[in-house]
Amino acid sequence: MATIHVDGQRYDVDGADNLLDACLSLGLDVPYFCWHPAMGSVGACRQCAVKQFKDEDDTRGKLVMSCMTPASDGSWISIDDDEAREFRASVVEWLMINHPHDCPVCEEGGHCHLQDMTVMTGHDRRRYRFRKRTHRNQYLGPFIAHEMNRCITCYRCVRFYRDYAGGTDLGAFGANDNIYFGRHQEGVLESPFAGNLTEVCPTGVFTDQTHSERYTRKWDLQFAPSLCHQCAVGCNISPGERYGDIRRIENRYHGEVNRYFLCDRGRFGYGYVNRDDRPRLPEWRSDRGDERVTLEVDAALDRGADRLRSARRVIGIGSPRASLESNHQLRALVGEGNFSTGIAAAEQRLLARMQTLNRECGLPTPTLRDVEHHDAVLILGEDLIASAARVALAVRQAAQARREALAAERGIPAWNDAAVRTLGQDRYHPVFIAYPTPTELDDIAEAGWTLAPDDIARLGFAVAHEIDPGAPAVDHLDAATREAARDIAARLLAAERPLVISGGSLGSEAIVEAAGNVARALARRARRGSLMLVRREANSTGLTLMGGAPLEWALDELESRRADAVVVLENDLYQRLPGARIESALEAAETVVVLDHQRTATWERAHLGLPAAAFTEADGTLVSLEGRAQRFFQVFDPAYMRPETRIRESWRWLHVLRADVLRHDVGDIALDAVTLDCARHYPDLAAIVDAAPGADYRVRGLKLAREPQRYSGRTAMRAHISVSEPRAPQDPDSAFTFSMEGYNGFDRPREEVAFAWAPGWNSPQAWNKFTDEVGGHLRAGDPGVRLLAPRPGGYRYTDVIPAAHRAAGDAWQVVRLPRLFGGDETSARAAPIQARADAPVVRLAVDDAARLGVSDGQPLRVAGEHGALVLPVRCEARWPAGTIGVPAGIGPWPAGGEAVSLAVAATQANEEGRA
């Protein structure tokens, strides 16, 4: 700790911080541009100048840049000193000499850091009257729009893109007062984190192009605290709505998870909730299947209840992309013995095993913040950019943290970014990656191996044995792999905080068991470290904790006529198992009820379809891959702008449907009651009631506002429907109002913050007002509650080790590869994601391609138990022989290694299963 004096006031601060960080953590306002809480200081903009004095008797002092000055004990500074204020005003003036001053049309207007800092410094007159420098903008892809004339040369963009996120195709060009930030030639930004430029940039140089299509100022958007549903990481987001559509998604700060950054799929993959072809009314299909009509709510529920009531047995198929509350209500409707998770059996076994390992391996599951502080990482069977991109960004920071360790040895503070990077150069903490193909983290990896899944597992088992000889040995291991295992084991044992990462992306139980053995070995020998296991979908962890039978069981019950009705919850079954298998089961069912917010192939097979709310229209609880239960809240009421719609939360539909089936009074139902009932039924989920404050939470007697205080136009928004303004929607399910009438300040700490705003701070930098210290945690605590924790004992090694992979003649092992863009069921329906996704290909080893007589780009037919498809070939020198790589999202190909046949396709026109 250190004691500093600011304008005569004494404060205790962290002596390791710089003065800017310390002042902002104290809630004091100091303007800045180039500094960013996650990226440290470079002193490029000179905007954060303050007056520093030798001691309390010094009256002259000197100007210093607060971002480059340590907050040492006994410091005396002044923010309000006249000379400092004049200097800061002059800095803004020269930074804005070439700025177009186009706030009325700039898409950053209203949440622009440059606007905030200009007002804060008092600059309000432009004296420059000469010709301005102008630039030509570039096309940077479907996500980011470019307007270089607004640039103030703070260098934040390239510092984030290149130094923090590891991108290589964005740079600074030119010199002096003619710097250009862009690509060497226009084209799509390659980094999967490029979208963060929209928040990192303090001006409107990089803006959200998906928002541009229907632009709305920040103060006219309605927000709610929400969670990204596109993978299992559990990043916190703030979706903004206007006129019943989601217009953009911004990062919502969480000190233990995503902090300041999101991946591009999470930021831009929301488009499916705005699709025109979404179901918005209940639909009934006759038994003949040749007629589909829309129904009102009561008629739909009556028909559905009559059919379910008359059924001999009803099966419920849940979903790992639906909330815990919705899955619980489905289970309550059909009964515990009739509930399926909707997850294929192979994947469900993997999920159950991962849950056991998280509890019994002896090592804890780290948060994303924890990941950044590990000093050796072993990744088995995961391309983290594709399967859990935000985890990959954290691993990159863990590797780069060696520079900070080297700097600390020489007394260089961690916030002095340029000095730390100059000293560290390309030295990283060790990262080891075993995966079938090169990954985007290979640039920071000390070593990487492109192996078939069984060989990845064997490497992991060998590492465990080298760490602890009590772990089972691997027979017939080649010398190179044994040497690699020894090196990895030595580096993990030497580390202060080793980390093992694996998961189910390749569908290999052996890989997960190998990671578990490594974790157990570290727990026994080193008694330190962490294990992170990556799941596929937003609520895969939560649904595993709830329990239920696999999808195949449900289909068997229907096909064998042991059940004659099925209710499917937010799950396109055709994405999980072969279409023929799904068709057979649904044909056998006399009643098929489907709840979903997308018009999927499963929806088209329903007798009764009930339009479910998407995550932006619903409340519920998800459990992330780290076992953190978190709540997401409804952003808007879909019926307010579209009164003709009958969209309801799935858990609400199921509650009413159950009451109708039982001929009970429906009664009122609210989220808190459903969440509490869910917690009571499943011991592993008992703590979910603490994941967020209940609907009775108030600040100063007020509910929380979803809309900023300047929100405008509400009285005219429905004028095309009726000139009589209805009452604003009421929300009995949460502590939020559908209006600006409520608390939206920062002075009273709260976990759930819908949007970041504070007086004078309209940009995303306003999150600094809500944290206990800059880059720390929310002052009321970070949202959510952890459900998975290690239990004592249980250190039992797995001794079932697969044989080494061997190419088997004409039988090829399928390896399903996750894709960041286009690889999941929902975001793949968003137009920007479709535009960003690479064309699907099958990957093949060069020698195997030569043996088949196929070359790059030539169509290849892949046929197996799960169907057939034709895709162009990509030959890879490092791809493991005897296997083929099939992209996720192209049919229900399993991740467990099905054997298939290959044939060169003469034409793609009439091929079955064509992509």
Side-chain angles (χ1 to χ4, degrees), residues 276-294:
D276 292 334
D277 63 350
R278 276 187 60 185
R280 289 189 166 89
L281 293 169
E283 294 182 5
W284 177 262
R285 180 175 62 89
S286 67
D287 291 329
R288 297 191 308 274
D290 57 357
E291 181 183 359
R292 186 178 293 274
V293 297
T294 58

Side-chain angles (χ1 to χ4, degrees), residues 49 52 79 150 177 215 223 230 303 322 333 343 372 417 432 469 477 489 496 524 591 595 639 696 735 817 829 833 836:
Q52 183 176 35
I79 300 171
R150 298 173 183 148
D177 64 346
Y215 180 74
F223 299 92
Q230 314 314 329
R303 289 198 190 188
L333 170 66
I343 303 173
E372 296 182 2
D417 187 66
F432 303 98
L477 195 66
E496 290 294 322
R524 283 187 169 184
T591 300
L595 299 89
D696 59 351
L817 300 175
R829 294 172 172 267
I833 297 295
R836 179 66 175 84

Side-chain angles (χ1 to χ4, degrees), residues 829-845:
R829 294 172 172 267
I833 297 295
Q834 293 170 354
R836 179 66 175 84
D838 294 330
V841 296
V842 290
R843 299 169 190 260
L844 202 61

Side-chain angles (χ1 to χ4, degrees), residues 343-573:
I343 303 173
E347 184 178 358
Q348 185 157 321
R349 284 195 303 271
L350 265 177
L351 290 169
R353 191 59 188 149
M354 285 191 267
Q355 175 185 320
T356 301
L357 288 173
N358 282 141
R359 286 176 165 162
E360 297 182 359
C361 75
L363 296 182
T365 301
T367 67
L368 254 65
R369 189 188 190 99
D370 291 334
V371 169
E372 296 182 2
H373 294 97
H374 287 76
D375 54 351
V377 184
L378 171 62
I379 303 172
L380 293 175
E382 288 292 330
D383 178 0
L384 291 176
I385 289 289
S387 60
R390 191 57 186 80
V391 177
L393 189 61
V395 169
R396 182 173 292 277
Q397 306 322 304
Q400 293 179 163
R402 188 183 176 202
R403 302 167 178 174
E404 296 179 11
L406 294 172
E409 295 173 2
R410 293 158 176 80
I412 300 173
W415 49 260
N416 194 338
D417 187 66
V420 169
R421 292 186 182 280
T422 299
L423 173 67
Q425 298 294 320
D426 292 329
R427 289 181 282 187
Y428 305 105
H429 285 311
V431 175
F432 303 98
I433 304 173
Y435 194 70
T437 187
T439 76
E440 291 190 44
L441 287 180
D442 285 359
D443 62 310
I444 58 164
E446 181 152 324
W449 297 269
T450 53
L451 304 171
D454 285 347
D455 290 339
I456 294 173
R458 287 169 62 82
L459 174 62
F461 282 118
V463 171
H465 179 70
E466 294 294 337
I467 293 173
D468 179 11
V474 181
D475 295 332
H476 310 297
L477 195 66
D478 62 273
T481 304
R482 192 175 302 281
E483 186 60 32
R486 286 174 182 159
D487 182 45
I488 296 170
R491 303 299 290 276
L492 292 177
L493 282 171
E496 290 294 322
R497 297 192 67 187
L499 171 62
V500 181
I501 299 178
S502 187
S505 291
L506 299 181
S508 169
E509 291 186 55
I511 290 177
V512 171
E513 295 289 6
N517 272 21
V518 176
R520 292 187 184 100
L522 286 172
R524 283 187 169 184
R525 284 286 310 278
R527 300 191 182 279
R528 60 182 180 271
S530 302
L531 172 67
M532 174 172 278
L533 297 172
V534 175
R535 281 76 164 177
R536 186 159 69 99
E537 293 175 89
N539 212 10
S540 294
T541 309
L543 201 52
T544 305
L545 292 168
M546 179 179 286
L551 177 57
E552 287 89 341
W553 168 86
L555 301 182
D556 288 342
E557 297 299 295
L558 293 169
E559 286 182 298
S560 63
R561 308 282 180 170
R562 291 191 292 270
D564 57 345
V566 61
V567 181
V568 183
L569 169 66
E570 298 183 34
N571 198 337
D572 186 6
L573 308 184

